[in-house]
C-alpha cells in the first residue's frame, strides 16, 4: 500500500494539519463562538449505538442509491465549501475524485474554480447559490450554471454571520499583496511542502470567487462577495418558492433544522432538503443535525428526499444517518482534509474510507443494501432527539 494512503478521516486530518500553514488549517476546523454546535455535531453520533447480528450475514452489500435523480455509487456526496486554497487544484481535484468514485459534488458560489471547469470534470455537479444581490443577479448565476451543465441547484440558507470565535479567527487577507506575503512568510516557510505545491503551478493561492463575477467584470474577492451577501436582505419563503420556479431541475434546500421549516420547504416545491447547521458555523447552540434528523424525516421524508450534513467522519456515521431517515449525507471538512493531505488522491482516499466503513457496518448489521437500514439497527437514547418547531409552521 502506498505511503501516502491513510486509513481514516482522523489520519487525513492529522496529515492536513502537518502540511497546511497554521492559519489555513485553523480556518478549516473552526466553528462559531464557543464551538458548542461544532462539538455536538461530532459527539451526538457517539451516543447512537448499533444492534449487530452474528449469523446469517450477507456476503455482498449494495451501497448505491439515487439522490436528486442521479445514481451514485455510495450514499455520500461532496458538500459545497468556499475557496479551497488548501491545494492548487482545489474544486477541480475534488470534482475529479468524486467522479472517480461515482458520486456527485456541490460547488460553492464562493469556490476558487469556475463552474465551467468543475462541471467538465464531473457531470454530477450541483451548483450552490446564496441569496446574494438582486433577483436579476441571482438569475444571471442560474443561467451561467445551466450553460455550464449543472445537474441541479443547491440553495444554502444555513449561514449566518458569526461575530466571534472564542479561540480567535485566522487572518485571511483580502488579496495576497506583497505586504501580505511578507506577513504570511513565516507560516509558509514552516510548511515547505504546501508552498512547493503552489510553486510548481507558478501561481499564488487564489482568493477570488469567479462564480460570483458579473459578465465583463473583474472577479470579486471572497470578502467582496461576502460583503454583498451581508448587505442583501435575507430571503422569505416566497423568495424560496420564486427561486425554485426559476430552476427546471433538481433543487436542494440546504440548512433546514426545524420541522416547521421542512414543511415550508415542501410547500415551496423543493426536491430535497439537507438537515444542516453549516458545520457548526451558524448560530452556536444549535443542536447537532443528527438529533434533528428523525423528526424531520418523519414529517416530510415521504414527500422530499432528506439528506444530512454535519459531523460525518466514519462510514458508521453514514449508516447511523441512513438508519434515522436520511437518503444520503454530505461531507465537508473530511474531504478538505483529504485534499490538503494528498490532492485528488486524498479525496478519493476519504471516499474509500467511508465506503469501506459503510460496507463493514452493513455486514455487521446483516443487511444486503443501504436501503434495508431502519431505526431497529440503532439504539436511540430517550433524550437524544430534538424536534425543533414540531407542531408549528414558520410564517416568515
Amino acid at each position: 500500500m502506498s505511503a501516502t494512503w491513510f486509513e481514516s478521516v482522523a489520519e487525513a486530518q492529522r496529515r492536513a494539519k502537518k502540511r497546511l500553514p497554521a492559519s489555513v488549517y485553523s480556518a478549516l476546523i473552526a466553528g462559531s463562538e464557543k464551538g458548542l454546535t461544532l462539538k455536538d455535531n461530532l459527539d451526538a453520533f457517539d451516543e447512537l449505538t448499533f444492534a449487530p447480528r452474528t449469523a446469517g450475514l450477507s456476503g455482498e452489500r449494495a451501497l448505491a442509491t439515487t439522490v436528486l435523480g442521479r445514481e451514485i455509487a455510495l450514499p455520500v456526496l461532496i458538500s459545497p465549501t468556499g475557496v479551497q486554497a488548501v491545494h492548487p487544484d482545489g474544486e477541480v481535484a475534488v470534482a475529479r475524485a468524486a467522479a472517480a468514485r461515482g458520486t456527485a459534488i456541490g460547488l460553492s458560489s464562493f469556490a476558487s474554480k469556475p463552474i465551467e471547469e468543475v462541471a467538465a470534470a464531473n457531470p454530477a455537479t450541483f451548483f450552490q447559490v446564496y441569496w446574494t444581490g438582486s433577483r436579476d443577479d441571482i438569475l444571471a448565476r442560474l443561467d451561467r450554471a445551466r450553460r455550464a451543465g449543472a445537474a441541479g441547484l443547491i440553495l444554502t440558507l444555513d449561514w449566518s454571520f458569526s461575530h466571534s470565535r472564542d479561540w480567535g479567527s485566522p487572518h485571511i487577507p483580502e488579496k495576497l499583496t506583497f505586504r501580505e506575503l511578507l506577513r504570511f512568510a513565516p507560516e509558509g516557510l514552516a510548511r515547505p511542502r504546501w508552498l512547493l505545491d503552489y510553486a510548481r503551478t507558478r501561481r499564488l493561492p487564489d482568493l477570488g470567487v469567479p462564480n460570483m463575477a458579473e459578465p465583463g467584470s473583474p472577479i470579486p474577492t471572497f470578502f467582496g462577495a461576502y460583503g454583498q451577501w451581508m448587505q442583501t436582505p435575507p430571503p422569505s419563503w416566497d423568495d424560496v418558492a420564486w427561486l425554485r420556479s426559476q430552476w427546471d431541475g433538481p433543487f436542494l434546500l440546504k440548512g433546514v433544522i426545524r420541522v416547521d421549516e421542512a414543511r415550508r420547504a415542501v410547500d415551496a416545491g423543493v426536491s430535497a432538503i439537507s438537515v444542516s447547521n453549516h458545520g457548526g458555523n451558524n448560530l452556536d447552540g444549535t443542536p447537532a443535525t443528527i438529533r434533528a434528523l428523525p423528526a424531520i424525516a418523519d414529517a416530510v421524508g415521504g414527500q422530499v428526499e432528506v439528506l444530512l450534513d454535519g459531523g460525518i467522519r466514519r462510514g458508521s456515521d453514514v449508516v447511523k444517518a441512513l438508519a434515522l431517515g436520511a437518503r444520503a449525507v454530505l461531507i465537508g471538512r473530511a474531504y478538505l482534509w483529504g485534499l490538503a493531505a494528498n490532492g485528488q488522491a486524498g479525496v478519493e482516499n476519504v471516499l474509500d474510507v467511508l465506503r469501506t466503513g459503510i460496507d463493514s457496518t452493513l455486514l455487521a448489521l446483516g443487511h444486503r443494501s443501504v436501503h434495508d437500514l431502519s431505526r431497529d439497527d440503532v439504539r436511540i437514547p430517550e433524550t437524544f432527539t430534538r424536534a425543533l418547531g414540531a407542531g408549528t409552521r414558520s410564517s416568515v
Side-chain angles (χ1 to χ4, degrees), residues 20-29 169-173 184 187:
L20 293 175
S23 60
V24 178
Y25 176 74
S26 64
L28 292 185
I29 64 169
S169 296
H171 173 72
I172 302 176
F184 187 73
E187 280 192 44

Side-chain angles (χ1 to χ4, degrees), residues 170-340:
H171 173 72
I172 302 176
E174 179 81 8
K175 294 181 179 180
L176 281 178
T177 62
F178 180 72
R179 180 178 179 180
E180 289 292 348
L181 286 173
L182 287 177
R183 176 176 180 166
F184 187 73
E187 280 192 44
L189 292 174
R191 295 293 186 268
R193 290 188 300 165
W194 184 80
L195 278 183
L196 182 60
D197 285 342
Y198 275 97
R200 288 173 177 148
T201 68
R202 298 181 181 180
R203 292 183 288 111
L204 294 172
D206 192 352
L207 302 181
V209 286
N211 295 315
M212 293 294 290
E214 297 179 3
S217 299
I219 294 175
T221 65
F222 175 88
F223 286 108
Y226 184 80
Q228 184 187 32
W229 168 78
M230 287 185 65
Q231 295 169 27
T232 304
S236 66
W237 282 107
D238 287 341
D239 290 326
V240 174
W242 169 81
L243 185 59
R244 175 62 181 112
S245 72
Q246 304 302 310
W247 184 265
D248 184 18
F251 187 107
L252 168 66
L253 178 62
K254 183 177 179 293
V256 177
I257 198 75
R258 296 169 56 103
V259 172
D260 54 346
E261 294 207 320
R263 294 188 176 116
R264 289 302 300 266
V266 172
D267 293 343
V270 306
S271 312
I273 60 174
S274 180
V275 181
S276 174
N277 53 37
H278 215 81
N281 281 291
N282 199 337
L283 177 64
D284 201 24
T286 303
T289 52
I290 192 70
R291 298 189 192 279
L293 173 64
I296 291 174
D298 288 344
V300 302
Q303 300 167 276
V304 295
E305 295 177 5
V306 177
L307 283 70
L308 175 135
D309 68 82
I312 299 293
R313 299 292 185 271
R314 302 166 189 83
S316 58
D317 295 337
V318 179
V319 170
K320 289 173 182 177
L322 269 55
L324 267 59
R327 176 177 285 264
V329 304
L330 298 104
I331 59 170
R333 289 180 176 90
Y335 78 80
L336 289 174
W337 292 326
L339 179 65

